Amino acid sequence: MSAKKHHIRLFRRVDKLRIGRRSVPQRCYFVTKTIYSRRNPIIHDARYPTQDSDTCGILVDALRWLHKNDRIKCHGYVIMRDHIHIQFTLGRAQSLSQVVRSYTTWTARNINEVREASGWFWARDFHDSWIRNDRSFWAHLNY
């Protein structure tokens, strides 16, 4: 399969993630964002996570900034080798997509700068779950 056909097929699959997506202020969401290439992971070796403290620090600092500026109320997060899970309540100022876009744009730019790299860091889209009740809240937070 040519690279162009693969690229188009990938974007069609990603567009399906948006079907049914709701962005409601003051509602809780669980978001998963994956990196673009597994060859360039967030954490290179789980046995030595402090080797990637600059990258992880950028991810956490961005969450703190979003929280401090009332874009989100962060309930929890976990940074994995090739993705991040974040559970938060959406603020009133921006939509879910806008918050995720600003987070990923800023973190990608800064991570690429620290790593002296360029190009895409994050995959194009994200997975989200709308947290509707306490049971779902704790199930996702403990995931």
Side-chain angles (χ1 to χ4, degrees):
M1 179 183 309
S2 74
K4 185 176 180 180
K5 284 183 182 179
H6 177 71
H7 192 68
I8 290 170
R9 200 166 101 189
L10 175 66
F11 282 149
R12 283 187 188 144
R13 191 178 84 223
V14 167
D15 288 338
K16 290 181 182 179
L17 292 174
R18 296 187 186 110
I19 296 172
R21 178 170 289 158
R22 298 179 66 183
S23 180
V24 180
Q26 304 298 299
R27 293 292 176 134
C28 189
Y29 293 89
F30 182 81
V31 171
T32 301
K33 186 71 178 173
T34 306
I35 61 172
Y36 181 72
S37 170
R38 292 181 189 263
R39 286 176 279 154
N40 195 14
I42 298 170
I43 298 172
H44 289 85
D45 190 339
R47 295 173 296 171
Y48 308 104
T50 56
Q51 288 179 344
D52 299 293
S53 62
D54 290 343
T55 301
C56 294
I58 289 167
L59 298 176
V60 173
D61 288 347
L63 289 174
R64 287 184 181 139
W65 186 91
L66 289 169
H67 186 95
K68 179 181 168 190
N69 289 282
D70 297 322
R71 307 277 175 91
I72 65 170
K73 179 181 178 188
C74 186
H75 304 294
Y77 62 88
V78 62
I79 301 169
M80 306 295 283
R81 184 176 194 279
D82 63 351
H83 63 282
I84 184 169
H85 297 293
I86 311 165
Q87 186 164 322
F88 60 87
T89 298
L90 188 61
R92 295 184 187 274
Q94 293 183 312
S95 71
L96 177 62
S97 292
Q98 288 171 323
V99 167
V100 173
R101 186 179 314 113
S102 68
Y103 177 77
T104 55
T105 300
W106 190 87
T107 56
R109 186 179 313 120
N110 284 278
I111 289 168
N112 279 341
E113 185 177 307
V114 166
R115 293 183 174 185
E116 297 179 357
S118 62
W120 291 50
F121 182 76
W122 295 107
R124 182 170 181 241
D125 214 347
F126 60 95
H127 296 271
D128 64 289
S129 298
W130 185 16
I131 307 300
R132 291 176 172 83
N133 55 45
D134 285 346
R135 183 176 176 204
S136 179
F137 178 91
W138 291 107
H140 281 86
L141 195 60
N142 291 321
Y143 173 70

